[in-house]
């Protein structure tokens, strides 16, 4: 059958094109990021350069795997969904610094390692989801969430979740441990219910009238607004609006997804090409829109859905410094018994 013949020819052609023997080399990626978020980027990169991207995805254990494989590791580039894994890998000596104007000119200094060991690519902000019906103010600060005027009005997931630890560590970096402890006590006193559930559950609570203000990551708004599988989430999103907290002392807290060149990358040249591509305006925009995140380069526009939430200024502290305060943040959460 002619149709069948054509199909098998196409498949054979695809195989030849992606075979390392005929491709212009390869680059190996270990990714903590879900395949569907990064595969469109790899496809665009391969189309541009002819370099094949091979990926291993895992939610946990990739840094440990790199450690065990040591100099025999096939990995060239590590992609992470948060800054913690990047600083951890760098501290363990698994990173190789990259000096590239094409990368450093596209990533603000606060969102990359000062020694070029890792670079942010997309960011998400930890913000307030405010009830559209019951909250009239358009501005808020993290500090204000501890003001007694909000007694019984606030919902959040547990304090020891990495997202909240990051926010608390960010406050320690800006305002010190003592002020942060006082803030945490005030926030706890304002909670409508004991901290429980994930970020989306907090939006659900606002929609149900259980609280007026919730603390959550920005991208969940996009995931709820477009959720065809669970359309009730669209109602939770519609009941709330994002306010980006900021004060003269502290801008909006962000975390990043990012990348790192492996210490003993066997395909270093290809790896740097991939990293330069990922830092480009085109790739940042594509990457950020996959998960309703923000490109780290302020010159690159977020997707339409994300842009509709408004604009904000990320806090100026380097997110690596925030990582340094995470242990103290966890201790404060324990000491004020935030979850009880
Ligand atoms: Fe998340």
């Amino acid at each position: 059958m002619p149709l069948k013949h054509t199909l098998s020819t196409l498949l054979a052609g695809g195989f030849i094109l992606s075979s390392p023997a005929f491709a212009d080399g390869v680059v190996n990626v270990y990714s903590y990021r879900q395949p569907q978020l990064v595969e469109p980027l790899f496809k665009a990169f391969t189309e541009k350069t002819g370099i094949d991207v091979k990926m291993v995805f895992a939610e946990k254990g990739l840094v440990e795997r790199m450690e065990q494989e040591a100099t025999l590791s096939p990995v060239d580039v590590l992609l992470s969904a948060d800054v913690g894994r990047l600083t951890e890998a760098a501290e363990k000596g698994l990173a190789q610094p990259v000096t590239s104007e094409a990368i450093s000119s596209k990533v603000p200094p606060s969102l990359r390692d000062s020694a070029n060991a890792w670079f942010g690519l997309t960011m998400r902000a930890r913000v307030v989801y405010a009830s559209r019906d019951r909250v009239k103010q358009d501005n808020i600060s993290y500090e204000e969430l501890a003001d007694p005027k909000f007694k019984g009005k606030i919902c959040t997931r547990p304090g020891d979740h990495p997202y909240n630890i990051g926010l608390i560590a960010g406050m320690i970096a800006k305002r010190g441990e003592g002020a942060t402890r006082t803030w945490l006590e005030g926030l706890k006193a304002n909670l409508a219910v004991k901290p429980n559930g994930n970020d989306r559950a907090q939006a659900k609570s606002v929609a149900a009238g259980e609280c007026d203000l919730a603390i959550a990551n920005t991208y969940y708004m996009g995931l709820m607004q477009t959720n065809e599988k669970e359309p009730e989430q669209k109602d939770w999103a519609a009941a709330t609006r994002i306010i980006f907290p900021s004060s003269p002392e502290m801008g909006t807290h962000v975390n990043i997804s990012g990348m790192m060149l492996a210490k003993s990358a066997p395909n270093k040249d290809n790896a740097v090409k991939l990293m330069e591509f990922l830092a480009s305006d085109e790739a940042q925009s594509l990457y950020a829109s996959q998960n309703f995140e923000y490109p780290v380069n302020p010159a690159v526009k977020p997707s339409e859905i994300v842009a509709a939430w408004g604009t904000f200024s990320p806090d100026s502290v380097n997110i690596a410094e925030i990582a340094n305060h995470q242990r103290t943040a966890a201790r404060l959460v324990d000491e004020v018994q935030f979850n009880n």
Side-chain angles (χ1 to χ4, degrees):
M1 300 255 309
L3 182 64
K4 206 172 177 181
H5 176 75
T6 308
L7 190 63
S8 63
T9 307
L10 279 175
L11 288 174
F15 175 74
I16 288 166
L17 275 176
S18 64
S19 159
F22 291 87
D24 297 329
V26 67
V27 56
N28 298 320
V29 174
Y30 283 1
S31 176
Y32 280 111
R33 248 325 14 203
Q34 305 279 348
Q36 74 268 19
L37 298 179
V38 290
E39 271 162 0
L41 296 165
F42 298 159
K43 196 168 164 258
F45 174 70
T46 302
E47 274 166 16
K48 258 198 170 73
T49 61
I51 299 166
D52 226 13
V53 182
K54 301 215 179 294
M55 173 178 58
V56 172
F57 161 74
E59 272 177 11
K60 286 182 178 158
L62 291 173
V63 170
E64 291 76 7
R65 184 167 166 170
M66 288 170 73
E67 247 183 318
Q68 282 158 12
E69 291 169 341
T71 52
L72 296 174
S73 180
V75 67
D76 295 302
V77 175
L78 174 70
L79 290 182
S80 169
D82 74 315
V83 69
R85 299 296 76 73
L86 295 169
T87 53
E88 183 193 350
E91 277 163 19
K92 288 179 170 171
L94 300 169
Q96 180 174 175
V98 178
T99 308
S100 164
E101 178 65 16
I103 300 174
S104 53
S105 65
K106 299 292 185 184
V107 184
S110 63
L111 303 177
R112 56 180 153 92
D113 179 47
S114 56
N116 294 323
W118 50 261
F119 303 86
L121 289 171
T122 65
M123 64 181 167
R124 74 296 300 249
R126 193 133 185 88
V127 296
V128 166
Y129 286 14
S131 162
R132 283 191 184 273
D133 290 343
R134 301 182 298 280
V135 178
K136 297 297 162 219
Q137 67 191 77
D138 291 323
N139 303 301
I140 204 160
S141 65
Y142 295 112
E143 291 89 338
E144 214 177 327
L145 296 176
D147 189 310
K149 72 183 172 185
F150 290 133
K151 193 160 182 59
K153 303 282 188 210
I154 299 176
C155 291
T156 178
R157 76 193 306 163
D160 55 347
H161 186 276
Y163 297 159
N164 280 338
I165 291 292
L167 171 60
I168 297 161
M171 183 162 289
I172 295 170
K174 288 313 275 273
R175 310 209 43 223
E177 186 181 330
T180 303
R181 178 201 296 271
T182 307
W183 175 73
L184 213 50
E185 285 167 345
L187 176 60
K188 183 192 174 188
N190 283 344
L191 295 180
V193 288
K194 257 196 207 180
N196 68 86
N198 57 21
D199 279 1
R200 277 186 257 205
Q202 314 311 315
K204 184 185 182 185
S205 293
V206 173
E210 288 164 12
C211 48
D212 290 352
L213 303 162
I215 301 171
N217 283 356
T218 41
Y219 56 85
Y220 288 114
M221 183 63 83
L223 293 170
M224 292 190 296
Q225 285 175 331
T226 58
N227 200 320
E228 301 300 336
K229 275 190 192 156
E230 281 185 67
E232 66 270 26
Q233 291 195 10
K234 292 185 184 179
D235 300 333
W236 308 346
T240 61
R241 68 194 160 95
I242 287 178
I243 309 180
F244 296 95
S246 75
S247 73
E249 286 78 38
M250 186 174 170
T252 305
H253 171 72
V254 297
N255 198 335
I256 54 156
S257 76
M259 62 180 176
M260 195 194 86
L261 177 66
K263 177 88 181 169
S264 46
N267 306 290
K268 185 182 167 183
D269 290 352
N270 290 347
V272 172
K273 275 184 198 154
L274 176 63
M275 290 173 77
E276 288 178 340
F277 172 72
L278 292 175
S280 71
D281 293 1
E282 175 197 353
Q284 277 196 36
S285 158
L286 185 62
Y287 192 11
S289 65
Q290 299 290 322
N291 196 36
F292 303 104
E293 291 183 305
Y294 295 87
V296 290
N297 181 356
V300 182
K301 288 200 170 61
S303 72
E304 236 173 82
I305 288 176
V306 172
W309 304 333
T311 56
F312 69 100
S313 301
D315 188 61
S316 57
V317 72
N318 187 294
I319 55 165
E321 203 200 322
I322 294 176
N324 289 338
H325 294 289
Q326 288 192 345
R327 220 166 270 156
T328 309
R331 179 167 53 75
L332 288 184
V333 167
D334 266 0
E335 284 174 7
V336 308
Q337 300 197 3
F338 190 80
N339 294 341
N340 300 315

